[in-house]
Amino acid sequence: MKSKFTLLALLEKDAQYVNERVDLNSLDGLEITITGASGLVGLNIISALNYYNNNLAKKRININALSFTKPNGIINDIYVENSIKSIYGDLDDCNFIKNVPLSDCIIHSAGYGQPGKFLNNKIKTIAINTSATIGLSKRLKECGRFLFLSSSEVYSGCLNDKNTEDDIGTTAPTHPRSCYIEGKRSGEAIINILRESGINASSARLALAYGPGVKSNDERVLNQFIQKGIDGKITLLDSGESMRTYGYISNVVIMLLNILIKNNNAVYNVGGNSMISIRELANKIGEIMKVDVDVPASDSFLKDAPKSVGLDLSRIESEYNITDYVGLDQGLKNTIEWIKNYE
């Protein structure tokens, strides 16, 4: 680890930002389980809860951090130093899920969010979003709360610039990315059934979270641009015309924790307000890192990926009074600092 102090400072800064905007006192003394705990979203949720425990809580939240493999490096250090219970195993294994601690709240953020990973593990991708969701819901205590991380990919095939929660995609189960798309749609169906049975459950359709906490081997575009920038030059694989809306991780965590606590609706869009083309994103990162950017004329790369990813955030903004966002420039600078110091 190049600078553990720098990494911890970045996480704590974002955790403080979250706690200044979300009242977590209703979680005092509860047992909360987070799957995908070593991922970007999971780690930052844990960081926000941990900041609350150390600075604001009247009674500490008991945090269970579930991951596929045993954590190491800074993640393990955070767990050990803050008495976070680390549990690792395969969510595709029903016997493993049966031994997950009974919890007041479960945040199911595990899954293959990177296309390269979910396309290489199609059956497991579906299982983590379906059978694992059902199994985890059985580990809730009475009157417990469940939050399922869905994806903006459920809108695949829509032609809208910004999709509302009432929209749905038009792709068929034969789509090359259907393991992920249909897995998330099925997960949402499970959440709706849980709500019908009286369980406090909601889905969050997340789009393109980024920020400190990302792993060095993350293959998503924004993080790969930063890695290429560290190597000295950013080269795109196509002309970069596709449009994306990126959500800085602290803003995403604010939305997710509000949904967990209040869950007024079955589903919410969750993300940011920084709409930008892939080419413009590369140029912006290149400018910040002071490296050259090479954009080819070809537009054939990842032709099955959506041309535009945009979410209408009116529901979550109005219900939870969300008005301010970390700007893209600052978010990118924080992410670049994290990746430069992460090993």
Side-chain angles (χ1 to χ4, degrees):
M1 202 66 60
K2 294 180 181 178
S3 176
K4 177 181 173 181
F5 176 80
T6 299
L7 299 177
L8 290 174
L10 286 165
L11 289 174
E12 183 162 14
K13 180 181 178 182
D14 285 339
Q16 181 179 354
Y17 179 91
V18 171
N19 275 269
E20 288 170 350
R21 290 161 175 79
V22 185
D23 184 354
L24 300 179
N25 62 19
S26 64
L27 304 180
D28 273 11
L30 299 187
E31 184 141 353
I32 299 181
T33 294
I34 300 107
T35 72
S38 62
L40 172 64
V41 174
L43 179 60
N44 276 273
I45 291 174
I46 289 171
S47 182
L49 296 178
N50 189 54
Y51 183 93
Y52 178 76
N53 274 343
N54 294 335
N55 296 279
L56 300 166
K58 294 180 180 178
K59 189 174 182 182
R60 289 182 66 85
I61 299 167
N62 298 309
I63 303 171
N64 302 314
L66 268 65
S67 54
F68 181 61
T69 57
K70 185 177 181 179
N72 54 29
I74 189 172
I75 296 176
N76 184 64
D77 292 345
I78 291 170
Y79 292 175
V80 171
E81 292 168 10
N82 295 282
S83 301
I84 295 168
K85 185 175 182 180
S86 175
I87 304 169
Y88 50 96
D90 192 346
L91 286 172
D92 197 19
D93 180 353
C94 60
N95 290 319
F96 170 71
I97 293 179
K98 287 178 182 177
N99 291 308
V100 169
L102 285 172
S103 305
D104 298 288
C105 302
I106 294 177
I107 303 173
H108 185 20
S109 69
Y112 298 113
Q114 303 175 50
K117 288 190 174 182
F118 67 65
L119 291 174
N120 288 329
N121 299 274
K122 293 183 177 181
I123 293 297
K124 181 170 271 191
T125 295
I126 293 175
I128 289 173
N129 288 299
T130 55
S131 57
T133 302
I134 295 170
L136 287 166
S137 72
K138 296 177 181 178
R139 305 308 298 160
L140 273 180
K141 296 179 183 178
E142 188 175 355
C143 299
R145 306 168 190 168
F146 195 102
L147 176 60
F148 171 70
L149 259 70
S150 184
S151 168
S152 61
E153 292 235 12
V154 300
Y155 297 121
S156 293
C158 285
L159 299 178
N160 304 331
D161 290 333
K162 287 189 175 182
N163 292 290
T164 71
E165 290 84 354
D166 293 328
D167 295 323
I168 198 63
T170 60
T171 55
T174 53
H175 190 280
R177 298 159 76 101
S178 65
C179 61
Y180 189 71
I181 298 167
E182 303 302 333
K184 291 300 186 185
R185 288 175 180 163
S186 297
E188 287 191 22
I190 292 166
I191 293 301
N192 288 331
I193 293 168
L194 294 177
R195 285 180 71 89
E196 289 173 4
S197 66
I199 294 174
N200 296 318
S202 293
S203 300
R205 292 175 179 167
L206 177 60
L208 302 174
Y210 76 102
V214 68
K215 293 180 179 177
S216 58
N217 63 349
D218 192 292
E219 296 178 354
R220 280 168 283 202
V221 168
L222 185 150
N223 304 306
Q224 285 301 299
F225 285 167
I226 296 173
Q227 288 286 1
K228 290 177 179 180
I230 292 171
D231 294 335
K233 183 179 181 180
I234 299 173
T235 302
L236 278 68
L237 298 176
D238 62 21
S239 59
E241 299 295 328
S242 297
M243 301 297 296
R244 297 289 183 266
T245 306
Y246 288 95
Y248 187 66
I249 188 60
S250 58
N251 296 124
V252 167
V253 171
I254 287 167
M255 294 180 182
L256 294 177
L257 289 175
N258 270 305
I259 297 168
L260 176 72
I261 293 168
K262 301 172 185 176
N263 56 60
N264 296 328
N265 279 284
V267 62
Y268 292 88
N269 285 337
V270 169
N273 62 352
S274 299
M275 177 70 91
I276 191 170
S277 72
I278 299 295
R279 183 183 65 257
E280 291 169 332
L281 177 68
N283 287 329
K284 187 175 284 289
I285 292 172
E287 181 180 345
I288 294 171
M289 300 185 74
K290 295 180 171 56
V291 297
D292 292 335
V293 177
D294 181 32
V295 183
S298 170
D299 198 27
S300 60
F301 181 69
L302 286 182
K303 61 184 178 180
D304 296 316
K307 286 291 184 184
S308 179
V309 177
L311 299 179
D312 185 322
L313 299 177
S314 300
R315 174 177 291 179
I316 197 160
E317 287 176 338
S318 61
E319 286 192 22
Y320 302 129
N321 194 30
I322 293 170
T323 58
D324 61 333
Y325 289 85
V326 174
L328 183 61
D329 284 3
Q330 185 59 55
L332 289 174
K333 290 175 183 177
N334 293 350
T335 310
I336 290 166
E337 188 71 10
W338 170 273
I339 292 176
K340 281 183 174 179
N341 285 277
Y342 191 82
E343 193 171 74

